[in-house]
């Protein structure tokens, strides 16, 4: 079960990443953000099942940031962070 979750989460995150790099999806689009949320959550859960706490942190934060961005967009707020 854990391995299937790992593979599924990784494929979802990599699809979103590839499509954003190719200019097909904006990193601010709902599609990209939902894929990042689902993939990050799946990978974080799989890492937790395997007691890989560094990856739980990495993927958990990845999913939380995507979730926060979705929430911000739904509330009509700008999700972009100003560059220094």
């Amino acid at each position: 079960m854990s391995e299937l979750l790992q593979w599924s989460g990784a494929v979802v995150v990599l699809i979103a990443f590839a499509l954003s790099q190719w200019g097909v999806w904006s990193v601010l689009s709902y599609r990209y953000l939902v894929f990042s949320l689902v993939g990050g959550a799946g990978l974080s859960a799989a890492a937790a099942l395997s007691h890989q706490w560094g990856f739980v942190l990495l993927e958990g934060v990845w999913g939380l940031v995507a979730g926060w961005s979705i929430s911000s967009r739904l509330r009509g707020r700008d999700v972009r962070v100003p560059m220094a």
Side-chain angles (χ1 to χ4, degrees):
M1 175 66 175
S2 177
E3 191 167 339
L4 178 60
L5 193 54
Q6 288 175 12
W7 277 100
S8 300
V11 167
V12 169
V13 167
L14 291 172
I15 286 171
F17 177 72
L19 290 173
S20 73
Q21 292 299 300
W22 294 331
V24 178
W25 287 358
S26 163
V27 294
L28 299 177
S29 71
Y30 284 114
R31 290 176 293 196
Y32 176 85
L33 294 171
V34 168
F35 270 57
S36 291
L37 172 63
V38 170
L43 285 167
S44 184
L49 291 172
S50 303
H51 304 282
Q52 297 176 352
W53 307 118
F55 286 111
V56 171
L57 175 64
L58 174 68
E59 298 303 337
V61 169
W62 187 289
L64 287 173
V65 169
W68 176 83
S69 296
I70 291 168
S71 174
S72 293
R73 286 208 55 206
L74 289 172
R75 288 179 287 147
R77 299 215 172 123
D78 190 359
V79 298
R80 291 175 291 170
V81 177
M83 300 299 283

